[in-house]
Amino acid sequence: MDDVQQLGEMLRHYAESETHKKQQLDVQSARWAQKLNELFGQIEHWLAPVKTVGLLDVQREAYVASGPSVPVEVSTFKTEKLNVQITGKTVEFVPDVMGAGGLVTVAVIGLTAARHGSVSLVLPADKNDWLWKKTNGLKDPDTFAFDANFLASQLQSLIPRERI
């Protein structure tokens, strides 16, 4: 095989590889968007009984996920973020750019009292159940199954207690 033929073979393999990578990214991106939509729908459903009382409000807002390697100007990760208004405070569920292998992460802002802590929801690429992950400093994160009762217990911490 001469160099021109070898170049042609290399280009063909490269094109096939790029096509395959794009197909994988498209599938993972579609799952990312679907899982976020399902998550926000589930949270809205869980909070609907309280929302009707007028003590809590839940709203979606257009959002473009971005990060250090994906600036907002070129991000293809167009979605929504979910805002929960409770007792004058806002809890935001803000999607991160899709992670490696289709990992879906949502930053939960407004619920941590720890100075260096953060809270996020994580959906591993091969799973369907969201995990609540609380990180505080250098120690290993605390991880919990995320369901209606767990969310309610977290939101309860935002309700001021009467002092006697």
Side-chain angles (χ1 to χ4, degrees), residues 18-50:
E18 289 301 301
T19 299
H20 179 71
K21 281 194 273 186
K22 172 143 181 28
Q23 288 170 342
Q24 274 190 309
L25 180 67
D26 290 347
V27 166
Q28 291 171 345
S29 294
R31 179 184 182 273
W32 178 86
Q34 174 194 355
K35 291 301 181 183
L36 288 170
N37 189 47
E38 288 173 5
L39 171 67
F40 292 166
Q42 188 67 60
I43 292 171
E44 289 168 329
H45 176 74
W46 290 339
L47 297 177
V50 185

Side-chain angles (χ1 to χ4, degrees), residues 3 9 22 28 37 42 70 76 78 82 85 95 99 121 134 136 152 157 163:
D3 288 344
E9 271 301 298
K22 172 143 181 28
Q28 291 171 345
N37 189 47
Q42 188 67 60
V70 184
T76 58
K78 293 167 178 48
L82 186 75
Q85 297 282 335
L121 291 172
K134 185 171 186 176
N136 192 1
S157 69
R163 299 198 175 127

Side-chain angles (χ1 to χ4, degrees), residues 43-61:
I43 292 171
E44 289 168 329
H45 176 74
W46 290 339
L47 297 177
V50 185
K51 184 178 176 185
T52 59
V53 178
L55 300 174
L56 179 137
D57 191 33
V58 182
Q59 293 179 342
R60 293 189 194 206
E61 180 181 319

Side-chain angles (χ1 to χ4, degrees), residues 31-32 35-36 39-40 63 65-66 79-80 93-100 102-108 118-125 130-133 135:
R31 179 184 182 273
W32 178 86
K35 291 301 181 183
L36 288 170
L39 171 67
F40 292 166
Y63 181 75
S66 60
T79 185
E80 296 173 313
F93 293 85
V94 183
D96 292 335
V97 170
M98 182 178 66
L103 176 74
V104 186
T105 309
V106 178
V108 182
S118 66
V119 176
S120 58
L121 291 172
V122 178
L123 181 65
W130 288 89
L131 300 173
W132 179 274
K133 193 179 213 179
T135 306

Side-chain angles (χ1 to χ4, degrees), residues 3-21:
D3 288 344
V4 173
Q5 287 176 316
Q6 186 174 354
L7 174 64
E9 271 301 298
M10 290 172 70
L11 287 171
R12 187 180 63 73
H13 285 294
Y14 175 77
E16 288 171 359
S17 172
E18 289 301 301
T19 299
H20 179 71
K21 281 194 273 186

